[in-house]
């Protein structure tokens, strides 16, 4: 918890240093921070009050991995002005064979890609998707973050914990779906020698274009019935910048990527930063549409979950 508050403090210092003078903080976030501070000092708000601020409680009875308290997520920072120029995107040709054989070949291609290798810091990992290669649904995020580049797996940090809850709320499990990212590496922000990168930045258009063939190959192997694009970068990468409008404008409506229906919705990190009832409800509505498309059973409790709350 101390680390959480320190990370938040560092982010505020960073924002201030970059000229930001005011930060909008919702009442809900203030309550969460108060609860965190109370838990830390051993006085005031009990643990429950911090935990109750966690977003998207799953209506299902399935066990889910939970975070003890919500971790405030640093806001993404703008891409550095001078990114190294990348070569043309790779041409990926999958070998014929079973899904698993194709997958193994693809993983090797990505792991051996000199640009991917050069784009991760020495002790960190390139990240490819994970899950059921025969899944009907492919959740696509933006890029690995701090935890993902250590584990070498998508969505294993705070955003992943929330994604797990979202998935569990639909009655699916992390193992039964496929989770990938637009990017195979964490977009780097230069740090002083030997220091860890604290925040994340969105990938540049060039970085996204470079990794897109690898995402397309993952989709070609899994052949999902539905893609869920999490956040603006995933949506832009899949739909193209010209088809992408504001996320609020295209979410909740079916789009298409190479013949596969795409539902664009908010990224779990956005929900971690904006724990408003409205954004949580919007995500849930989008997931209900995905469930309908997949012909998954939807209980009254699931359908009315956010309707019953003010
Ligand atoms: N955010 C993403 O978009 N992908 C991850 O894997 C983790 C966080």
């Amino acid at each position: 918890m101390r680390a959480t508050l320190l990370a938040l403090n560092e982010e505020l210092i960073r924002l201030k240093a970059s000229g930001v003078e005011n930060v909008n903080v919702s009442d809900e976030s203030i309550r969460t921070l108060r609860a965190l501070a109370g838990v830390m000092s051993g006085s005031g708000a009990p643990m429950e009050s911090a935990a109750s601020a966690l977003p998207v409680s799953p209506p299902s009875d399935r066990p889910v991995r939970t975070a003890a308290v919500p971790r405030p997520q640093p806001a993404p920072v703008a891409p550095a002005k001078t990114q190294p120029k990348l070569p043309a995107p790779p041409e990926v040709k999958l070998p014929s064979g079973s899904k698993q054989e194709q997958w193994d070949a693809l993983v090797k291609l990505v792991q051996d890609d000199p640009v991917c290798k050069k784009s991760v810091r020495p002790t960190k990992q390139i990240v490819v998707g994970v899950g059921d290669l025969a899944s009907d649904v492919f959740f696509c995020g933006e890029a690995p973050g701090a935890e993902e580049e250590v584990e070498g797996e998508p969505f294993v940090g705070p955003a992943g914990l929330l994604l797990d809850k979202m998935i569990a709320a639909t009655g699916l499990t992390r193992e039964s779906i496929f989770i990938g990212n637009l990017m195979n590496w964490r977009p780097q922000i230069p740090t002083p020698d030997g220091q860890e990168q604290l925040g994340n930045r969105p990938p540049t258009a060039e970085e996204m274009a470079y990794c897109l063939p690898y995402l397309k190959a993952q989709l070609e192997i899994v052949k999902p019935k539905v893609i869920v694009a999490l956040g603006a970068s995933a949506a832009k990468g899949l739909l193209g910048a010209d088809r992408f409008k504001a996320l609020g404008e295209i979410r909740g409506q079916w789009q298409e990527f190479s013949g596969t229906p795409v539902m664009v919705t908010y990224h779990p990190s956005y929900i971690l930063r904006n724990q408003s009832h409205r954004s949580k409800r919007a995500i849930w509505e989008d997931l209900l549409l995905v469930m309908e498309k997949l012909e998954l059973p939807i209980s009254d409790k699931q359908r009315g979950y956010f309707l019953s709350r003010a």
Side-chain angles (χ1 to χ4, degrees):
M1 249 162 292
R2 186 178 160 69
T4 305
L5 286 177
L6 285 177
L8 177 63
N9 198 35
E10 275 169 19
E11 176 62 8
L12 290 171
I13 291 169
R14 192 190 66 74
L15 285 171
K16 193 173 175 194
S18 65
V20 175
E21 290 182 350
N22 296 299
V23 180
N24 288 330
V25 184
S26 68
D27 290 348
E28 205 169 345
S29 299
I30 287 179
R31 277 198 297 280
T32 304
L33 284 169
R34 285 217 175 99
L36 279 170
V39 171
M40 267 188 73
S41 67
S43 64
M47 190 73 155
E48 269 155 38
S49 57
S52 68
L54 275 173
V56 191
S57 310
S60 108
D61 295 333
R62 287 176 185 280
V64 290
R65 292 198 282 153
T66 54
V69 291
R71 286 175 50 172
Q73 295 294 290
V77 297
K81 286 199 182 80
T82 50
Q83 292 300 319
K85 181 132 184 57
L86 299 179
E91 273 180 38
V92 181
K93 203 168 170 327
L94 291 171
S96 51
S98 68
K99 278 180 185 273
Q100 191 58 53
E101 283 162 347
Q102 289 187 315
W103 180 255
D104 294 343
L106 177 61
V107 171
K108 183 157 174 20
L109 278 180
V110 183
Q111 298 287 0
D112 289 347
D113 182 314
V115 174
C116 294
K117 285 210 266 197
K118 222 174 135 189
S119 301
V120 293
R121 289 194 163 90
T123 58
K124 306 296 193 265
Q125 300 191 54
I126 291 168
V127 179
V128 287
V130 68
D132 182 358
L133 294 178
S135 174
D136 283 345
V137 55
F138 190 122
F139 283 83
C140 180
E142 175 183 292
E147 289 82 1
E148 289 77 20
E149 67 169 359
V150 170
E151 302 273 326
E153 188 174 323
F155 284 100
V156 290
L161 289 173
L162 178 53
L163 181 62
D164 285 355
K165 290 178 135 209
M166 287 159 53
I167 293 164
T170 66
L172 294 166
T173 61
R174 189 173 166 105
E175 294 68 36
S176 70
I177 57 147
F178 195 90
I179 309 177
N181 273 316
L182 196 58
M183 295 295 301
N184 299 104
W185 65 78
R186 180 184 185 194
Q188 284 195 24
I189 302 173
T191 55
D193 265 357
Q195 282 192 26
E196 290 283 326
Q197 176 175 328
L198 284 179
N200 293 314
R201 68 161 171 86
T204 61
E206 195 187 16
E207 288 172 324
M208 294 201 284
Y210 190 86
C211 291
L212 190 60
Y214 291 134
L215 175 63
K216 283 186 178 164
Q218 293 176 70
L219 288 162
E220 197 182 321
I221 296 171
V222 178
K223 293 193 177 34
K225 287 190 184 141
V226 168
I227 301 169
V228 182
L230 300 165
S233 293
K236 264 186 231 165
L238 285 165
L239 306 178
D242 42 336
R243 270 166 71 204
F244 176 81
K245 299 178 211 137
L247 195 135
E249 273 180 49
I250 59 167
R251 62 145 286 270
Q253 300 154 42
W254 287 106
Q255 314 289 329
E256 200 193 279
F257 175 80
S258 293
T260 306
V262 178
M263 178 55 64
V264 175
T265 195
Y266 292 111
H267 193 287
S269 296
Y270 174 80
I271 301 293
L272 290 175
R273 289 197 301 271
N274 300 276
Q275 299 210 14
S276 70
H277 179 78
R278 206 162 133 210
S279 44
K280 287 185 228 172
R281 179 170 164 177
I283 276 210
W284 184 238
E285 283 167 2
D286 300 341
L287 289 180
L288 284 175
L289 291 172
V290 170
M291 291 167 75
E292 275 171 10
K293 181 75 92 189
L294 294 174
E295 296 179 12
L296 293 174
I298 304 179
S299 67
D300 289 346
K301 189 177 169 189
Q302 281 170 316
R303 200 169 286 285
Y305 189 58
F306 277 97
L307 297 180
S308 56
R309 296 163 179 221

